[in-house]
Amino acid sequence: MKPWIAAIHAYVPGRSTGADGRALIKLSANENPLGTSPAALAARDDAGPAHLYPDPDSAALRTAIAELHGLHPSRIVCGTGSGELLTVAASAFAGPGDEVLYVRYGFSLYEIAARRCGATPVEAPDADYGTDVDALLACVTPATRVVFVANPNNPTGSYLGADDLARLHAGLPPHVLLVLDQAYAEYVAPEQDDGGLALAATHGNVLVTRTFAKAYGLAAERVGWGYGAPPVIDALNRIRGPFNINRGAQATALAALADQDFVNRSRAHNATVRARFMEAMAALGNHGLRPLPSEANFVLVLFEGPLTAAAALAGLAEQGYIVRHLPGQGLPQGLRITIGTAEQMDAIAGILARLADPAQ
């Protein structure tokens, strides 16, 4: 085994069971509590013959994505979730002797993508758990080849506005690829758009990736897409998996794109329930709980008082809920809690309130 492969810690997905194997209400993987568009489900059931290979280029899906976002389909590539595209982006533009840069408390896949191609992963300091533009730029060296930025960031929920993102890009050398991981972009209000697609449209060193797993409710289908300059897309097409998006997944994603009412309802539900949950967590500040601002479909709650994150995790599991504890990402004091239904979030808020103040 190559030494840089041996150094990889495999990706750890969100759990769905407790320590005793009991099935719990899963709020650990940022799945959509509204489920999936009925139109998308119907398309999956009528996707066509299973004995024929799917379109290797996902042409119809790329055309529909382009029409929705005002892009050119030739500058779009589809992947097995955005995760495949993030990984092949690192492999296409970095290798042994190169550096891949990302922010501390960023998506755990970035380190894996860097090590997989033999590059050196580099963490930039954070700004109160969020992305710090100046810290990232200060970490750029002659060996830097790829910079990953999740916006909104996973697992912290922080967000860079268009001005900060443009400033980050302007500070990078032209040969450094800026990869904007926008897995949660559909949860951001349209008027808060970070301008990432516009950057990719006008610069040759920007790749934007998105996924159908979150707001579209297609986590099981594993469909993502990326947008960038022709040379960037050409590089990704050379090393992505052939026939990487199966026939059913292409049909399902195509129908999901056409149902923007479902996406809008998902965004509205998330904003309303997230705000209410954030307010409930902020009210527990005198007990040491601190929710970080979030533009995604989850909230990272820090436990900085007597109640520890590990104890809260166990207490929630006893009441039937599983959330994401992140000691492996340097966040033993944090729980990332997916925004579920209003009833689920009220229940979690009540459980945490009782754990934080047993006397109530």
Side-chain angles (χ1 to χ4, degrees):
M1 183 185 300
K2 293 181 174 64
W4 53 83
I5 300 297
I8 292 176
H9 297 284
Y11 178 77
V12 179
R15 293 172 52 191
S16 58
T17 60
D20 58 359
R22 179 169 49 106
L24 303 175
I25 295 173
K26 185 184 178 187
L27 297 177
S28 61
N30 303 336
E31 294 153 331
N32 191 330
L34 302 189
T36 306
S37 160
L41 293 176
R44 181 181 62 178
D45 294 337
D46 191 28
H51 68 287
L52 299 178
Y53 282 108
D55 175 6
D57 298 318
S58 303
L61 180 56
R62 289 190 297 109
T63 297
I65 292 169
E67 290 176 350
L68 178 64
H69 294 283
L71 310 173
H72 198 286
S74 67
R75 298 182 62 167
I76 295 173
V77 58
C78 290
T80 309
S82 56
E84 180 189 18
L85 301 177
L86 297 171
T87 301
V88 297
S91 297
F93 291 93
D98 298 329
E99 294 176 349
V100 172
L101 176 62
Y102 49 88
V103 68
R104 183 188 298 155
Y105 310 126
F107 186 29
S108 59
L109 186 63
Y110 303 152
E111 180 182 358
I112 295 173
R115 293 191 185 281
R116 183 184 179 195
C117 65
T120 301
V122 178
E123 280 189 351
D126 62 293
D128 194 24
Y129 299 94
T131 301
D132 186 325
V133 170
D134 294 316
L136 276 169
L137 292 176
C139 288
V140 173
T141 74
T144 304
R145 291 296 178 269
V146 177
V147 176
F148 283 116
V149 173
N151 206 38
N153 186 49
N154 175 24
T156 67
S158 64
Y159 189 66
L160 285 182
D163 290 344
D164 282 333
L165 198 57
R167 184 165 68 87
L168 171 61
H169 175 260
L172 295 175
H175 66 273
V176 173
L177 180 68
L178 175 60
V179 181
L180 301 176
D181 175 1
Q182 296 185 340
Y184 301 90
E186 284 80 10
Y187 285 111
V188 179
E191 62 270 18
Q192 293 179 269
D193 178 66
D194 66 9
L197 290 174
L199 278 177
T202 54
H203 296 85
N205 65 334
V206 180
L207 172 69
V208 174
T209 65
R210 291 199 180 184
T211 183
F212 285 87
K214 309 304 180 186
Y216 284 97
L218 297 181
E221 299 302 316
R222 310 311 304 129
V223 187
W225 60 277
Y227 174 72
V232 174
I233 299 304
D234 176 62
L236 270 58
N237 273 321
R238 289 171 184 268
I239 58 175
R240 67 170 173 84
F243 304 104
N244 56 346
I245 312 297
N246 70 61
R247 183 184 300 274
Q250 289 186 40
T252 306
L254 191 60
L257 274 176
D259 190 357
Q260 288 299 305
D261 285 344
F262 177 82
V263 176
N264 293 334
R265 282 189 282 114
S266 296
R267 182 189 304 113
H269 167 89
N270 185 70
T272 299
V273 177
R274 184 184 64 200
R276 179 170 172 171
F277 181 67
M278 289 278 292
E279 183 178 354
M281 292 299 95
L284 297 174
N286 58 331
H287 295 291
L289 277 67
R290 178 163 70 104
L292 294 181
S294 175
E295 294 295 335
N297 69 333
F298 58 83
V299 173
L300 182 65
V301 180
L302 302 179
F303 293 78
E304 301 172 327
L307 177 63
T308 66
L313 179 73
L316 287 168
E318 287 178 4
Q319 298 300 314
Y321 292 90
I322 187 71
V323 297
R324 189 71 180 266
H325 191 206
L326 298 161
Q329 288 185 247
L331 289 165
Q333 75 280 30
L335 294 180
R336 192 194 68 188
I337 303 174
T338 301
I339 300 301
T341 66
E343 295 76 15
Q344 290 168 347
M345 302 316 293
D346 287 347
I348 286 180
I351 294 166
L352 291 177
R354 292 189 292 274
L355 292 170
D357 185 8
Q360 70 168 300

